Amino acid sequence: MPPGDASSIGGAEASVVFDLVFAGDRVLVDGAFAPAQVAVLDGRIARIAEPGVALRAAHRVRLADDEVLIPGLVDTHVHVNEPGRTDWEGFASATRAAAAGGVTTIVDMPLNSIPPTTSVAALAVKRARATGHVFVDVGFWGGIVPGNLGDLLPLGDEGVFGFKCFLIDSGVAEFPPVTPDEMERAMTALSRGADPAGSEAGADLDQLVIVHAEDAAAIDAAPHPHSRAYADFLASRPDAAEGAAIAAVIAAARRTGARAHILHLSSSASLEAVARARADGVRLTVETCPHYLALTAEEVPDGATAFKCCPPIRGAVNRDALWRALEEGVIDTIVSDHSPAPPAVKFAGDGDFAVAWGGIASLQLGLAVVWTEARRRGIRLERVVEWMSAAPARLVGLDGAGKGAIAPGADADLAVLAPDDAFTVDAAALHHRHPITPYAGRELVGVVRATYLAGREVDGTVARGRLLRRTRPDGGPR
């Protein structure tokens, strides 16, 4: 039963015994919370019914008065780091953390693992390592690096969800950056579905190119002192670096017609350029992350390298502008950019921001972090779920595969959330491999009390997650 189909299960619906039925006063359906029953059969949502309708079920879940039912979140920006750097994270720990935070689908980044996902052979290695060890559904990005243009269409045929490149040093030698010209050549191949030899292989791809948009020349021109002062680190990653790189992405997407996506936007200075490009018909989307929406440069203590990420957390005025851009639709999605590292790497340099690894582990906390700040601003939970579930599912084409909504035919990927329940972040209690987070000791609201994947509760002991492949735009198999 495809997503969106009405679910009348023949004329004998009264005799159907559903596997599971959820019932609650606040169920998120069609963008609004309302009383409803959600019936699950064979891992999918088979029916949504009003309260009081008689539904036979093997099991029932009645939401408590303080609970809501939402679709599982879709996080399209996660660094799992396995194989090669499994001591940094790994599929089992990352997906346990995801489930604990209400995330039921992740898409794994192509770098920080060894080998990086820049060839079909490397993708096969990664999938082999993930098989049997994922507690939520997992898809994969491919990578664009110098010299692998011929690998892109084969990777697309193997079902990656798009291709990532860096316009600046990635921080790991095995995933080098590309020049703007190399990025544009990749966009040309992926948007037109033609390989460098001009064949029509993969002509249905229209693949997404996702870009770490910081300009190398602008970064090189900035000061890079060894310092424990966050202000010095912030000056080393100026707004102008994001602005120049985003301009290059827009120009390349305009010329090629490619679908382009700006990763982890931190600087509000580029929002006007993004809005203008989209008004001109450039196929451009943008994401931001919980840390840019909840944290500010002014609050980062000296030497607190748990806050270091690239691009950096900026000031409070900038943070407010990002929220406005979300509400206005200029920014499309909120994703974690979960980028963990062991203490020896994250705290290298004894508080020297120039030495420590840049990355924030927040996969388990993203929903609570964003909801806490959104609620403070008077933004409804429905919009938060749109930004963190439905919108990322659409971005990678998983809405058509049953992700990101509570609807007949959709996967029964669901989270039971107590949106008013408060808790204090205890880093040691997180499922991430290492107890490191800039949110330690912070009070948040929004407790995920249960997460369901394909209608079965994720208990952290039985790994039932599936490895996902991108289908063709027409829905056919590869």
Side-chain angles (χ1 to χ4, degrees):
M1 182 168 21
D5 277 5
S7 67
S8 68
I9 314 182
E13 183 169 305
S15 66
V16 172
V17 179
F18 296 104
D19 299 323
L20 177 64
V21 170
F22 294 88
D25 294 330
R26 290 184 289 170
V27 177
L28 186 57
V29 179
D30 293 331
F33 285 106
Q37 297 183 88
V38 179
V40 176
L41 187 66
D42 296 331
R44 287 183 173 265
I45 296 171
R47 186 176 178 191
I48 298 174
E50 294 181 356
V53 173
L55 298 175
R56 301 174 66 200
H59 301 283
R60 296 182 182 276
V61 173
R62 171 68 200 183
L63 302 183
D65 290 344
D66 65 340
E67 294 176 342
V68 302
L69 189 69
I70 62 173
L73 305 188
V74 177
D75 192 335
T76 56
H77 195 149
V78 178
H79 294 270
V80 174
N81 302 341
E82 185 175 4
R85 292 189 175 92
T86 310
D87 57 324
W88 290 30
E89 189 61 276
F91 284 106
S93 56
T95 55
R96 279 194 189 95
V103 178
T104 51
T105 301
I106 67 170
V107 186
D108 176 47
M109 282 293 165
L111 74 157
N112 294 356
S113 58
I114 303 174
T117 317
T118 54
S119 68
V120 170
L123 176 63
V125 171
K126 183 169 281 195
R127 282 182 170 149
R129 291 294 290 267
T131 298
H133 299 285
V134 295
F135 293 89
V136 301
D137 289 352
V138 178
F140 301 94
W141 295 106
I144 301 169
V145 295
N148 86 323
L149 194 61
D151 291 298
L152 303 185
L153 294 184
L155 274 166
D157 285 337
E158 281 297 313
V160 297
F161 285 86
F163 294 87
K164 179 177 186 176
C165 65
F166 275 73
L167 295 178
I168 192 172
D169 181 12
S170 72
V172 292
E174 66 275 2
F175 200 95
V178 296
T179 65
D181 285 345
E182 288 171 323
M183 174 185 68
E184 185 165 337
R185 286 197 291 274
M187 284 185 177
T188 298
L190 293 167
S191 63
R192 295 176 183 171
D195 65 20
S199 78
E200 292 302 315
D204 60 315
L205 281 177
D206 196 26
Q207 283 274 14
L208 187 63
V209 175
I210 64 175
V211 186
H212 182 120
E214 288 184 286
D215 180 73
I219 297 292
D220 289 344
H224 292 272
H226 287 281
S227 174
R228 291 173 52 85
Y230 185 75
D232 290 336
F233 169 64
L234 185 58
S236 75
R237 316 290 292 213
D239 293 90
E242 278 191 87
I246 289 171
V249 174
I250 290 171
R254 190 188 301 275
R255 286 190 290 265
T256 63
R259 296 172 61 217
H261 180 73
I262 303 299
L263 296 166
H264 45 45
L265 182 83
S266 81
S267 172
S268 63
S270 293
L271 292 170
E272 185 176 344
V274 168
R276 284 199 308 268
R278 299 215 302 211
D280 290 343
V282 177
R283 296 200 296 164
L284 183 69
T285 49
V286 178
E287 71 184 35
T288 194
C289 305
H291 36 281
Y292 303 131
L293 297 169
L295 305 175
T296 65
E298 294 88 344
E299 69 185 280
V300 179
D302 287 351
T305 55
F307 289 80
K308 180 181 176 180
C309 57
C310 299
I313 296 161
R314 303 189 188 274
V317 171
N318 180 87
R319 177 186 63 175
D320 293 343
L322 296 181
W323 277 104
R324 287 195 298 273
L326 277 163
E327 293 191 89
E328 294 166 2
V330 180
I331 297 176
D332 303 274
T333 65
I334 304 173
V335 294
S336 68
D337 188 11
H338 178 70
S339 185
V345 178
K346 188 60 183 165
F347 300 134
D350 191 25
D352 184 344
F353 280 95
V355 176
W357 176 261
I360 289 178
S362 64
L363 186 54
Q364 184 171 339
L365 296 172
L367 176 57
V369 168
V370 174
W371 169 231
T372 299
E373 185 65 21
R375 175 175 151 159
R376 187 177 72 82
R377 294 169 180 270
I379 296 171
R380 294 177 297 121
L381 179 59
E382 296 94 314
R383 298 209 69 186
V384 171
V385 177
E386 164 70 22
W387 293 324
M388 300 186 77
S389 182
R394 284 195 302 271
L395 176 73
V396 296
L398 283 171
D399 55 331
K403 305 295 187 185
I406 299 177
D411 288 351
D413 297 348
L414 304 161
V416 177
L417 174 71
D420 301 320
D421 200 356
F423 68 100
T424 301
V425 176
D426 176 5
L430 299 176
H431 290 277
H432 307 151
R433 187 173 295 278
H434 300 289
I436 303 171
T437 173
Y439 305 109
R442 197 178 185 99
E443 184 170 283
L444 303 176
V445 293
V447 174
V448 175
R449 292 184 177 165
T451 299
Y452 292 80
L453 185 72
R456 302 180 75 172
E457 187 170 1
V458 181
D459 62 5
T461 62
V462 181
R464 297 192 181 94
R466 297 159 290 183
L467 303 186
L468 306 176
R469 294 172 181 258
R470 179 181 185 264
T471 57
R472 294 190 329 217
D474 63 8
R478 291 217 167 275

